[in-house]
Amino acid sequence: MKLYQLTLNFIKFIFLLTFTFSHAGSPFASTHASINANLFPAEIEHEDVTRSPYKELYEEIDRINLGATNPRFNGSVLVGYKGKVIYEKAFGQANRAIGKPNSLQLPTQVASITKTFTGTAVMWLQEKGFLNIEDKVSKYIWEFPYENITIEQLLAHTSGLSDYIQFSGRYWSSSQPMYNDEVLNQFTTYKFKLKFTPGTRFDYSNSNYAFLGLIIERVSGMQYKDFMKKYIFEPLHMNNSYVFDPADEYAFTHARSYNANFTEWKNTHQDGVYGDKGIFTTAQDLFKWDQALYSNNFLNSETLNNTFSPRQPWNASKNYALGWRMRTFPNGEKFAYHTGWWHGYQGIFSRYMKDEFTIVILSNRYISGITKNSELIYDTASKYLNLTDLKGNLQKEIQLEEDHAGEEIQIVMR
């Protein structure tokens, strides 16, 4: 290992030791560290889908362009309503080499859906008093070379940081995986120019969440993967979830990553970076995560409201909150979701919070268009369940815009 890397790791160790000691009263240093797992159900509930309207809805979801009708889809689907699962199925192969099929209990990489965990964990730390999202990032990562970027700007993708995924390979010649410290080292060494003044616009960048992963480590004194295990996965009974570390050995099978032609997608040096991606989980565990966010047992109502408040103007239909993508509609409605794509892994996790309606689609074989099926499932369910008319005045406004445009054309033609 190069001298600068040894020095950087030693300085980080001293920083973590000092920071953790100075926060001796924190939950991480006390006997009250764990979240009460008794507040969260160990098992998910299922609706009786042999009765109407769930029977008919189940059958119609089956006919949507997913695994039951599309042999190219390789993954799992889960739909929940009012705390109960109303549809779940797994399709295709998790590991073709050994003939292992996908199952609802088999972990798969959820890629950027990881950001929902990272962002919410940061909000949990704020609620407990260990950071403030209005703080400068440099308060917790002293090496961070940009003085005016805040934690909230990382969360909302308004920092102006370039995306390390697009360029890190140019500065990484090792055959070993690159971790978050190395991402930080590239930014401190080369001081990449910001794309814009922090806070002035939105630009999705995985670097934001790689640095949030580091902040979680600096504040807690724990590795990101251990923090997630202790404060989210274990208390929420997410027993098939973990943060992937290429240096670890896994005795169990997870769903392999495949190209469209079923060639296996190998790991790259960037698979060591976490926070922006890296969580392996299941559709059922994501439903447990979803349900935990409906109670005040994990985050209080004020924090939840802040977490799911869009940071862009409401007329930006594709919006972003703090760790969550948002769809905002002209009639004031909204829903939260996040997509994921890394190698052959794809997915979407949609939370229609007003109706407590949840859709999880996870795939370990790359095919285009699967995330569009989330809204198709919602529209289908609206025929059977009393769901909110999210789009409401949307079509009316589109028609008004078209009529207005037509009037302008007529005026010009005159």
Side-chain angles (χ1 to χ4, degrees):
M1 185 179 289
K2 295 180 180 179
L3 180 60
Y4 75 84
Q5 290 177 305
L6 288 170
T7 304
L8 182 64
N9 289 342
F10 176 74
I11 294 173
K12 178 186 174 185
F13 171 76
I14 296 299
F15 180 89
L16 282 172
L17 188 65
T18 304
F19 195 93
T20 304
F21 179 77
S22 67
H23 286 69
S26 76
F28 312 107
S30 73
T31 57
H32 306 290
S34 62
I35 297 171
N36 186 356
N38 293 325
L39 297 174
F40 305 97
E43 303 294 335
I44 59 177
E45 293 188 59
H46 291 78
E47 185 61 75
D48 180 4
V49 295
T50 64
R51 65 184 182 91
S52 297
Y54 301 105
K55 179 178 183 296
E56 293 80 8
L57 175 56
Y58 189 99
E59 292 171 351
E60 190 159 352
I61 292 175
D62 243 356
R63 292 193 291 270
I64 290 175
N65 189 30
L66 290 165
T69 57
N70 185 353
R72 296 185 65 237
F73 177 74
N74 203 78
S76 57
V77 183
L78 181 148
V79 182
Y81 178 56
K82 300 292 185 183
K84 294 183 179 182
V85 173
I86 61 175
Y87 182 95
E88 60 176 354
K89 273 191 179 182
F91 306 92
Q93 297 293 308
N95 189 328
R96 295 191 81 203
I98 61 175
K100 188 174 184 65
N102 272 317
S103 77
L104 294 163
Q105 295 78 37
L106 194 69
T108 186
Q109 161 86 268
V110 295
S112 284
I113 296 173
T114 297
K115 292 179 174 72
T116 71
F117 291 92
T118 303
T120 307
V122 170
M123 297 305 290
W124 184 85
L125 288 168
Q126 172 172 270
E127 184 177 301
K128 302 303 178 185
F130 298 101
L131 57 77
N132 189 315
I133 62 172
E134 295 180 3
D135 288 339
K136 299 290 194 295
V137 174
S138 56
K139 179 177 179 179
Y140 304 94
I141 307 176
W142 62 267
E143 313 98 307
F144 192 70
Y146 309 97
E147 294 183 2
N148 296 321
I149 294 178
T150 66
I151 295 174
E152 183 171 10
Q153 288 164 352
L154 297 183
L155 287 164
H157 292 292
T158 59
S159 68
L161 291 171
S162 299
D163 193 334
Y164 79 90
I165 285 181
Q166 297 177 1
F167 60 78
S168 64
R170 297 177 226 159
Y171 309 98
W172 189 254
S173 58
S174 172
S175 61
Q176 298 301 309
M178 181 178 74
Y179 291 93
N180 295 46
D181 281 332
E182 282 77 21
V183 175
L184 174 61
N185 181 65
Q186 288 187 4
F187 275 85
T188 56
T189 300
Y190 300 103
K191 296 181 175 59
F192 305 113
K193 184 179 178 180
L194 294 177
K195 299 173 76 172
F196 50 84
T197 302
T200 60
R201 52 176 280 208
F202 171 85
D203 186 70
Y204 189 91
S205 172
N206 288 286
S207 301
N208 293 319
Y209 278 73
F211 288 126
L212 288 170
L214 282 178
I215 289 174
I216 290 170
E217 292 186 330
R218 298 291 177 96
V219 172
S220 68
M222 303 170 65
Q223 289 188 8
Y224 175 87
K225 62 182 179 181
D226 296 329
F227 180 93
M228 289 295 162
K229 180 180 180 181
K230 183 171 183 179
Y231 291 99
I232 295 181
F233 301 152
E234 288 184 343
L236 271 53
H237 308 286
M238 297 176 64
N239 301 322
N240 295 308
S241 301
Y242 62 94
V243 177
F244 177 71
D245 183 341
D248 291 343
E249 294 184 4
Y250 298 94
F252 52 87
T253 303
H254 57 250
R256 301 290 180 176
S257 174
Y258 294 106
N259 285 290
N261 63 0
F262 265 123
T263 55
E264 190 166 346
W265 206 311
K266 301 298 184 182
N267 289 342
T268 70
H269 69 285
Q270 294 173 333
D271 279 276
V273 183
Y274 46 82
D276 60 325
K277 57 179 171 8
I279 285 181
F280 275 70
T281 186
T282 67
Q284 290 187 339
D285 275 4
L286 281 178
F287 189 63
K288 291 179 180 179
W289 175 229
D290 166 74
Q291 291 300 293
L293 297 175
Y294 281 116
S295 73
N296 291 331
N297 294 326
F298 188 76
L299 294 177
N300 64 36
S301 57
E302 181 182 357
T303 302
L304 284 169
N305 182 63
N306 194 11
T307 300
F308 292 106
S309 293
R311 268 20 189 206
Q312 302 304 303
W314 198 269
N315 59 7
S317 61
K318 292 186 178 180
N319 220 309
Y320 208 90
L322 302 181
W324 297 85
R325 292 186 180 274
M326 306 291 296
R327 283 293 306 277
T328 48
F329 297 93
N331 63 353
E333 298 294 349
K334 65 180 181 179
F335 74 87
Y337 71 104
H338 217 295
T339 53
W341 174 29
W342 182 242
H343 303 330
Y345 297 114
Q346 292 172 280
I348 185 167
F349 175 34
S350 298
R351 304 186 69 240
Y352 298 82
M353 296 175 288
K354 188 173 180 179
D355 297 310
E356 295 186 41
F357 190 85
T358 305
I359 301 167
V360 180
I361 305 174
L362 303 176
S363 173
N364 62 313
R365 178 190 182 190
Y366 179 78
I367 58 173
S368 60
I370 66 167
T371 57
K372 295 179 181 177
N373 288 308
S374 175
E375 289 192 50
L376 184 56
I377 289 173
Y378 186 84
D379 291 341
T380 300
S382 296
K383 296 188 296 185
Y384 297 91
L385 307 174
N386 185 29
L387 301 182
T388 302
D389 180 12
L390 284 175
K391 297 177 182 178
N393 298 321
L394 182 60
Q395 189 58 46
K396 294 180 182 177
E397 294 206 3
I398 291 173
Q399 188 61 50
L400 285 171
E401 289 175 1
E402 291 175 349
D403 292 344
H404 182 63
E407 291 172 2
E408 289 182 340
I409 291 171
Q410 290 176 9
I411 291 169
V412 171
M413 291 179 67
R414 286 175 190 167

